[in-house]
Amino acid sequence: MPDGSGGAPPRAVIFLGPPGAGKGTQAKAVAGRFGLAHISTGDMFRDHMSRNTPLGEQAKKFVQSGGLVPDEVVLGMVGDRISQPDCKNGFVLDGFPRTKPQAEALAETLRNRPWGKPLVIYFAVDSDQLLRRLTGRRTCKVGGEIYNVYDCPPKVPGRCDNDGGELFQRPDDREEVIRERLSQYEAQTRPLVDYYQGAGSLAEVNAMGPQAEVTGRVLEVMARPR
Ligand code: ADP
Ligand code: ADP
């Protein structure tokens, strides 16, 4: 199948886990293999902010301070995004939902659509790894590829292996903002682990160890029969 879906029924997959767990890295590695769109709400906000759109203006102060963008803003943006044609076969949600109201709104949206009950993959990482992953993160300005100066460095420092693009450090990956993001995660997002466990749709993946090994674990969960 040219779309990579192998003719599988459409589906919604949620990557849940703390900032720096490796959700974006793994979504880039696996979404296309199943013909799924990769939807990163963080990337969408950064894109809006860089273009100074009204949505970017609304999101800016929250993103910069490490807070969460208000639910109604996020929900409008995600609702529009999943109506796009590339979401026909389904999608991997990376960084959404992050609050209980977002999870409930998503459940309501999915109820009457072809994607069915979501598969939620929870990325389990030791907390002392997160700081290393977040402070070492560098992203390509051109294609968005994700590197880490400690654990996954590019071949040429500061340059993307794929397209030679310049690598940059996200302003919210500074330590004081990271602290706020981690505390928002604990307060608002971690409760979703129980929420989805209760709904019977949670699969935990050990997100420690080399990227390729984590990819293997994620693929194994996604390939399980529904
Ligand atoms: P990370 O992957 O490091 O956790 P993201 O790129 O997902 O970070 O998100 C960056 C910022 O964008 C968040 O700190 C928050 O301000 C905003 N954001 C992204 N997704 C959401 C969401 N679902 N709800 C509220 N805010 C969000
Ligand atoms: P998230 O989207 O969950 O915030 P990212 O995918 O952006 O996380 O990864 C955060 C940082 O951790 C990046 O610098 C990335 O290169 C690095 N990283 C991702 N997976 C691993 C891994 N398995 N081992 C070590 N570092 C990793």
Side-chain angles (χ1 to χ4, degrees):
M1 288 289 265
D3 63 12
S5 70
R11 75 184 318 190
V13 181
I14 295 170
F15 281 6
L16 181 64
K23 304 180 298 295
T25 301
Q26 296 303 332
K28 283 177 191 291
V30 306
R33 301 202 201 185
F34 295 89
L36 306 175
H38 172 198
I39 301 179
S40 159
T41 43
D43 284 349
M44 292 172 79
F45 285 130
R46 283 184 287 278
D47 175 55
H48 278 280
M49 284 161 55
S50 74
R51 292 186 289 119
N52 294 312
T53 67
L55 203 150
E57 284 303 312
Q58 272 181 299
K60 202 169 170 176
K61 67 170 187 280
F62 302 101
V63 174
Q64 286 177 344
S65 63
L68 292 185
V69 179
D71 290 335
E72 61 276 15
V73 177
V74 186
L75 287 168
M77 184 177 77
V78 173
D80 288 346
R81 180 67 188 87
I82 65 180
S83 311
Q84 300 295 313
D86 67 324
C87 292
K88 187 168 58 72
N89 292 323
F91 39 82
V92 174
L93 291 168
D94 157 18
F96 175 90
R98 261 176 153 97
T99 65
K100 190 130 175 273
Q102 289 180 18
E104 286 167 349
L106 176 67
E108 194 50 41
T109 303
L110 295 181
R111 218 185 304 283
N112 305 311
R113 307 287 279 275
W115 304 295
K117 187 170 141 182
L119 165 68
V120 185
I121 301 186
Y122 170 60
F123 285 64
V125 190
D126 296 348
S127 55
D128 56 2
Q129 258 289 309
L130 294 178
L131 205 58
R132 181 182 172 90
R133 290 192 183 185
L134 290 167
T135 54
R137 174 160 57 191
R138 301 290 184 274
T139 312
C140 174
K141 273 191 176 157
V142 179
E145 288 83 0
I146 305 167
Y147 296 88
N148 190 284
V149 294
Y150 308 119
D151 294 321
C152 330
K155 293 194 182 87
V156 177
R159 292 281 158 196
C160 177
D161 294 349
N162 262 9
D163 53 28
E166 190 186 332
L167 303 186
F168 74 100
Q169 180 171 29
R170 279 171 41 180
D172 61 341
D173 277 344
R174 280 174 298 118
E175 232 173 295
E176 61 277 19
V177 188
I178 290 174
R179 249 189 293 279
E180 178 58 21
R181 287 163 58 210
L182 291 171
S183 105
Q184 292 285 335
Y185 171 78
E186 288 301 325
Q188 313 243 45
T189 312
R190 190 190 281 282
L192 296 183
V193 176
D194 283 346
Y195 172 88
Y196 284 118
Q197 209 145 33
S201 42
L202 192 88
E204 179 168 326
V205 160
N206 171 11
M208 296 293 290
Q211 277 183 21
E213 284 180 22
V214 180
T215 302
R217 295 177 201 135
V218 173
L219 287 174
E220 188 270 315
V221 171
M222 289 180 70
R224 281 179 198 161
R226 276 179 263 179

